[in-house]
Amino acid sequence: MSLGSVPLKYRIDIDRDQCMRCMRCVENCSYGVFRNEEGKLILNSRKCTACHRCISMCPRDAISLKERPVDYRSHSLWTGEAREDIINQSRTGKILLAGMGNAKEYPVIFDRLVLDACQVTNPSIDPLREPMELRTHIGKKPPRLEFKKNEDGDVDLITELAPNLELETPIMIGHMSYGAISLNAQRSIAKAVSKVGTFMGTGEGGLHESIYPYQDNMIVQVASGRFGVDINYLDRGAAIEIKIGQGAKPGIGGHLPGEKVCSDVSCTRMIPLGSDAISPAPHHDIYSIEDLAQLVRGLKEATQWKKPVFVKVAAVHNVAAIAAGIARSSADAVVIDGFRGGTGAAPKVFRDNVGIPIEAAIASVDRKLNEQGIRNEISIIASGGIRNSADIAKSIALGADAVYIGTAALIAMGCRVCGSCYRGLCPWGIATQREDLVKRLDIDSGSRQVANLIHAWTYELSELMGAAGINSIESLRGNRERLRGYMLDEGSLDVLQIKPIGA
Amino acid sequence: MDGSAIKDALSLMDERGSGEGAGYVAYGIYPDFPDCYALHVFFDNIVEPKSKVDDLLSKWGVIVHQEEIPTYEQPRLKRQHIPWRYFFKPNKDLMVGSLTPEEDIIIKTVMGINSGINGALVFSSGKNMGVFKAAGWPEDVANFYRIDSYKGYIWLAHNRYPTNTPGWWGGAHPFNLLDWSVVHNGEITSYGTNRQYVESNGYKCTMSTDTEVVAYLFDLLGRKHELPENFIVKALAPHFWDEIDSMQPRERELNRAIRLTYGPAMMNGPFGIVVARSDGIVGFTDRIKLRPLVVGDDGDRLYISSEEAAIRTVDPDIENIYMPKAGEPVIGRVVI
């Protein structure tokens, strides 16, 4: 029997008095909501994804959008979403796909943490007048330094330091592959990070030739599909990252649909044109911690121990023990990706239900490494749902060295978090390979906007640090004394190792 | 020199304190027991906590001598504890796998008593030296212990204006661990980071105040990692990156290595600190000098103080008085 249609997700309305029939909405909507029939504007709201492209391009503000215009009988358990998922799955018999990060209404821990400021007993520091240091080094550090007296009576440093990445701000941009995002999007980000003095990840999509000029600011990724990996790729990167897991979908691999594998993507990934790029769930050469340590060492050997190697894992319950294992290998940094982390495509059931929040993961990893006396020997990079400079300050105070941002950088280029990246029709030219759409993203303005965002957050971070009487980022790192929990339960406070407000 | 001049100098700065904490430390005061660790302990009573401390010490070594520290009632000072001293020799065979077994036994027992035995607090644990402190004005504390009766070759003294733990004897400065003593004017905004670092290296913070981490950092970097004093100061109050970037390559590499390796040891926030050890003292401030520090040098003697007036009280004729730059260490060595 027919299930009929589910109610509209969004309804688009046109204020016909305001509309000048310029048809920009028709040109801009890649999902086919608008049609021009002999000068008349016809709408099909069912196709709308709330990407806001039409709204932002309408010169008359004539378009309005309403979410869930049709009510269901209200029920707190059987929400509209729960009912629709069942209807869709009983129709198709398939796994539900979703884009972007975890969309469930879990409490956001960041929003229940408050920062500190100084008064009287210690002065706050004005970043406009005093130096404020955000320079961050990502990489292995020795547990101690050793010196030797030379013949002149001076002391010589004997300890040799491993190569570290030097960042002018603790903000990096995470791995989003060419394929998942467009070349223009990747080039915009690359240009921005090289201008700001920080780094970005290539994702598991290889390194396109047009990114070569920015290779000193690129972290190349080795993931389970090994797409695009050869010695040229490894040698070009400033650092190498082994991707074990991803916060948006811990425990499973990746899938780039063949439609997105155009000739350029196929060359860069080193896979046949139009073929699906499937990254397996585990690395098939890593079935244990010692296998991972071997791969880290293998990559180091291949690049003459000149490059830091990171290991990225999804934030899951035993992330702290995994991180401690990684710290014992030659790896330089552990990247922890929280369950709010974005993705182009993930099974909805994973995106919304598997993994733990980044805040708890940072704190428990930092605590475990401290307990084992090895915290400073490895860097912690946090990612997954970082929305503003306060989230960054809180991440660092919980124990991170630096953060990766992803979605935020995309928003800076136009993304409105509609969550339809997996469809390849992104009207902002970001998550698409369709040439006419990609062209919409101008590299100069895209890179300027991304650089602006990093600058703005860096300024805010220095202000927050100055207010807390701290003039160097090392003194914020793991400094939980400067955080308090607001409306957090005792168990969470204990995991985060912070006191409640007023204490 | 005896403690009378230092009492006068400290009392001169009474308006910097609130009469709720003052203390002194002197090196060279126990020539009769030069090889013993002098453990100064505050007991709440000498029945229960003391028998536990006696037991613990007897397990780890030999108590060569013990006595109540002589004190003299002062009308403005309320006695809260019984100050006691042990002259203790640890049995180093009991600490397996350590390169410095004696010191490690002392650290273990001090931290064990302070965190595990109610009513006992060890506040001084070095050889041939001792801390004397209480809640009160500088002159009253000095008279309580009659510090003018002790003769030392290094003296530190501190007058406290408490905000966090007023009236607590243990909260008064100097703080001490083994040979290290610290007086500190300031508040450490990086305390959470520093505390984690020292605790992950086996120390336990038990004094509810930020100053104790300074003593532990000096012990970790100075004794365990064997860094010279000027490098310890470079780790605790490092050069700015802008300065490091413009240094000569060798110097740059050294400073970069210190910042990378000892980042969690870096201290932020306003401070002026003087640290003493049996062979010398080092004074320094935070990197932007948010607290004062004045140095007087007459060739034989080095004075470090928050105020010039205090130095002139001890030595009215002193000529060489200067203010060191932010973060720059002032080091005095004992010459025999």
Side-chain angles (χ1 to χ4, degrees):
Chain A
M1 129 164 209
S2 164
L3 282 161
S5 64
V6 293
L8 283 182
K9 220 167 171 187
Y10 311 103
R11 189 172 65 218
I12 291 285
D13 275 313
I14 304 274
D15 182 338
R16 301 276 172 182
D17 291 341
Q18 281 293 317
C19 175
M20 59 193 266
R21 289 172 200 77
C22 66
M23 304 297 168
R24 280 193 178 86
C25 47
V26 181
E27 289 157 27
N28 272 285
C29 181
S30 50
Y31 296 106
V33 174
F34 303 92
R35 234 168 40 243
N36 176 5
E37 281 187 8
E38 291 160 12
K40 196 164 181 246
L41 191 55
I42 310 286
L43 304 179
N44 181 358
S45 286
R46 189 164 291 278
K47 293 189 167 173
C48 178
T49 63
C51 76
H52 274 208
R53 180 75 186 182
C54 59
I55 290 169
S56 62
M57 293 298 150
C58 177
R60 289 286 182 88
D61 289 331
I63 306 173
S64 58
L65 183 152
K66 193 169 185 323
E67 190 168 7
R68 294 207 171 273
V70 180
D71 287 335
Y72 280 88
R73 180 212 152 203
S74 54
H75 194 288
S76 55
L77 180 67
W78 294 101
T79 58
E81 190 188 341
R83 281 174 256 191
E84 276 172 25
D85 285 352
I86 294 173
I87 295 169
N88 285 330
Q89 289 192 291
S90 54
R91 210 193 309 266
T92 62
K94 287 181 179 162
I95 289 172
L96 290 172
L97 266 192
M100 281 298 166
N102 190 325
K104 248 187 170 173
E105 282 191 14
Y106 297 106
V108 181
I109 298 177
F110 280 133
D111 293 340
R112 295 180 179 212
L113 297 176
V114 286
L115 290 160
D116 193 18
C118 289
Q119 291 178 102
V120 187
T121 52
N122 47 19
S124 42
I125 304 168
D126 184 350
L128 291 175
R129 292 175 177 81
E130 304 282 353
M132 196 53 70
E133 300 189 308
L134 282 90
R135 189 181 289 182
T136 301
H137 291 86
I138 302 293
K140 210 80 171 172
K141 319 274 190 300
R144 56 175 287 189
L145 292 181
E146 290 189 59
F147 299 92
K148 208 173 76 186
K149 270 218 164 107
N150 64 21
E151 289 135 22
D152 311 331
D154 285 346
V155 279
D156 285 333
L157 177 65
I158 327 175
T159 315
E160 245 182 79
L161 258 62
N164 271 238
L165 290 192
E166 190 173 297
L167 286 57
E168 291 306 325
T169 172
I171 308 166
M172 295 188 283
I173 297 188
H175 289 256
M176 293 174 286
S177 68
Y178 171 42
I181 60 171
S182 67
L183 193 55
N184 281 14
Q186 223 184 35
R187 284 173 66 184
S188 301
I189 299 173
K191 212 173 153 180
V193 291
S194 69
K195 195 172 134 192
V196 175
T198 183
F199 295 81
M200 71 175 280
T202 57
E204 192 189 20
L207 190 67
H208 190 270
E209 275 180 31
S210 65
I211 307 279
Y212 287 177
Y214 312 108
Q215 63 187 29
D216 292 344
N217 297 83
M218 302 297 290
I219 301 158
V220 296
Q221 193 176 64
V222 174
S224 60
R226 301 289 151 87
F227 299 127
V229 179
D230 64 4
I231 190 65
N232 168 54
Y233 173 69
L234 297 178
D235 275 338
R236 284 183 186 276
I240 301 166
E241 179 167 316
I242 301 171
K243 177 194 172 184
I244 300 292
Q246 185 174 346
K249 40 184 172 179
I252 61 171
H255 181 184
L256 185 71
E259 302 86 73
K260 272 182 145 179
V261 182
C262 62
S263 69
D264 228 13
V265 170
S266 110
C267 291
T268 313
R269 291 212 173 201
M270 305 173 189
I271 55 170
L273 183 67
S275 66
D276 285 12
I278 297 174
S279 308
H283 286 242
H284 284 300
D285 52 359
I286 303 178
Y287 283 13
S288 66
I289 188 78
E290 63 268 28
D291 289 347
L292 172 66
Q294 283 175 357
L295 180 61
V296 173
R297 218 157 40 237
L299 291 168
K300 291 241 174 202
E301 284 292 333
T303 51
Q304 286 97 45
W305 294 81
K306 284 183 187 154
K307 295 179 197 294
V309 173
F310 306 168
V311 179
K312 174 182 177 179
V313 291
V316 289
H317 309 326
N318 68 335
V319 66
I322 299 168
I326 294 169
R328 283 190 171 64
S329 75
S330 328
D332 294 87
V334 53
V335 182
I336 322 165
D337 197 20
F339 80 162
R340 295 274 184 191
T343 179
K348 190 176 174 205
V349 65
F350 277 82
R351 189 197 69 173
D352 291 349
N353 297 286
V354 183
I356 62 169
I358 188 60
E359 302 92 323
I362 302 169
S364 60
V365 169
D366 184 61
R367 172 189 226 165
K368 177 75 84 187
L369 296 179
N370 262 313
E371 282 168 2
Q372 302 188 4
I374 49 177
R375 169 61 189 91
N376 194 49
E377 292 170 41
I378 190 164
S379 302
I380 299 176
I381 302 165
S383 67
I386 286 161
R387 304 157 299 170
N388 49 49
S389 58
D391 288 355
I392 300 172
K394 292 168 189 176
S395 301
I396 295 173
L398 286 170
D401 288 80
V403 300
Y404 271 153
I405 58 168
T407 305
L410 301 186
I411 296 173
M413 293 189 291
C415 165
R416 300 292 163 99
V417 198
C418 74
S420 313
C421 330
Y422 58 96
R423 294 181 55 191
L425 290 172
C426 177
W428 293 92
I430 299 169
T432 178
Q433 302 304 328
R434 222 173 80 182
E435 216 170 307
D436 60 317
L437 299 175
V438 174
K439 263 202 309 214
R440 293 180 180 179
L441 179 59
D442 177 62
I443 296 172
D444 285 334
S445 33
S447 67
R448 192 171 52 243
Q449 286 149 218
V450 172
N452 277 347
L453 181 73
I454 300 176
H455 273 307
W457 285 3
T458 306
Y459 282 138
E460 287 182 340
L461 265 180
S462 14
E463 290 285 348
L464 287 170
M465 283 166 51
I470 286 172
N471 60 15
S472 188
I473 195 99
E474 308 75 316
S475 297
L476 183 63
R477 190 175 308 139
N479 197 344
R480 292 171 175 77
E481 284 292 320
R482 315 312 299 277
L483 285 176
R484 290 291 184 273
Y486 192 13
M487 305 278 283
L488 283 170
D489 62 274
E490 211 176 322
S492 305
L493 290 172
D494 184 45
V495 166
L496 298 167
Q497 287 185 285
I498 54 169
K499 294 177 194 153
I501 43 165
Chain B
M1 62 184 272
D2 70 43
S4 51
I6 194 120
K7 176 182 95 178
D8 293 344
L10 191 67
S11 308
L12 187 80
M13 296 186 287
D14 268 3
E15 95 287 349
R16 284 184 165 266
S18 62
E20 290 169 289
Y24 302 83
V25 62
Y27 287 75
I29 54 170
Y30 297 131
D32 296 343
F33 301 96
D35 300 326
C36 294
Y37 290 88
L39 305 182
H40 286 195
V41 189
F42 287 138
F43 283 122
D44 287 0
N45 62 69
I46 44 169
V47 187
E48 218 191 347
K50 186 169 176 304
S51 60
K52 286 183 186 161
V53 172
D54 286 347
D55 286 351
L56 186 72
L57 292 177
S58 310
K59 270 184 205 157
W60 286 95
V62 181
I63 300 169
V64 176
H65 178 71
Q66 60 166 309
E67 63 187 7
E68 189 179 342
I69 299 176
T71 52
Y72 307 88
E73 296 302 324
Q74 300 299 315
R76 289 193 297 179
L77 197 152
K78 184 168 170 279
R79 177 191 284 273
Q80 289 174 15
H81 306 281
I82 300 155
W84 199 270
R85 62 189 166 208
Y86 291 91
F87 294 95
F88 176 65
K89 264 193 179 161
N91 180 354
K92 59 184 168 200
D93 295 341
L94 295 175
M95 188 56 99
V96 183
S98 164
L99 297 175
T100 51
E102 283 203 356
E103 285 92 339
D104 287 347
I105 290 176
I106 298 295
I107 291 183
K108 192 183 157 63
T109 45
V110 169
M111 308 249 158
I113 292 168
N114 290 353
S115 62
I117 299 181
N118 264 341
L121 184 88
V122 184
F123 60 96
S124 186
S125 54
K127 279 182 183 169
N128 198 10
M129 55 81 65
V131 172
F132 303 92
K133 61 187 184 181
W137 291 100
E139 58 275 26
D140 293 336
V141 174
N143 295 337
F144 180 70
Y145 288 107
R146 288 216 181 139
I147 62 142
D148 49 6
S149 66
Y150 292 96
K151 280 196 168 60
Y153 60 91
I154 296 175
W155 282 90
L156 300 186
H158 185 270
N159 178 15
R160 185 167 183 238
Y161 190 137
T163 51
N164 237 341
T165 51
W168 185 49
W169 284 26
H173 299 216
F175 283 87
N176 164 275
L177 182 72
L178 295 171
D179 209 13
W180 303 103
S181 301
V182 181
V183 287
H184 167 219
N185 169 20
E187 191 165 311
I188 303 173
T189 56
S190 56
Y191 174 67
T193 306
N194 304 140
R195 175 179 181 159
Q196 267 201 336
Y197 182 59
V198 296
E199 292 200 329
S200 84
N201 279 286
Y203 299 85
K204 254 189 225 149
C205 293
T206 53
M207 306 281 189
S208 346
T209 175
D210 50 2
T211 306
E212 65 177 320
V213 298
V214 183
Y216 305 156
L217 286 170
F218 265 84
D219 188 60
L220 176 66
L221 271 53
R223 184 173 65 84
K224 290 197 182 162
H225 292 190
E226 297 170 336
L227 299 195
E229 296 93 334
N230 55 336
F231 288 2
I232 301 176
V233 173
K234 275 185 206 295
L236 269 40
H239 289 289
F240 286 98
W241 284 116
D242 279 351
E243 296 165 349
I244 294 173
D245 290 345
S246 57
M247 288 174 180
Q248 295 300 314
R250 191 173 171 276
E251 194 68 6
R252 188 170 61 223
E253 208 33 57
L254 173 74
N255 279 281
R256 184 172 174 273
I258 290 176
R259 278 200 77 164
L260 262 62
T261 310
Y262 295 109
M266 169 178 177
M267 295 196 310
N268 234 300
F271 62 79
I273 285 175
V274 183
V275 177
R277 202 170 61 174
S278 52
D279 60 355
I281 61 172
V282 53
F284 61 108
T285 65
D286 62 272
R287 308 194 298 162
I288 50 178
K289 206 166 180 185
L290 295 169
R291 291 289 154 96
L293 201 74
V294 186
V295 175
D297 181 359
D298 84 342
D300 290 336
R301 274 190 193 163
L302 178 72
Y303 304 96
I304 304 177
S305 170
S306 293
E307 285 186 21
E308 186 178 331
I311 299 175
R312 293 204 180 276
T313 304
V314 186
D315 186 350
D317 304 324
I318 192 153
E319 279 173 13
N320 184 13
I321 284 200
Y322 66 96
M323 288 171 219
K325 282 192 206 148
E328 185 182 278
V330 177
I331 299 173
R333 289 184 212 285
V334 174
V335 184
I336 306 157

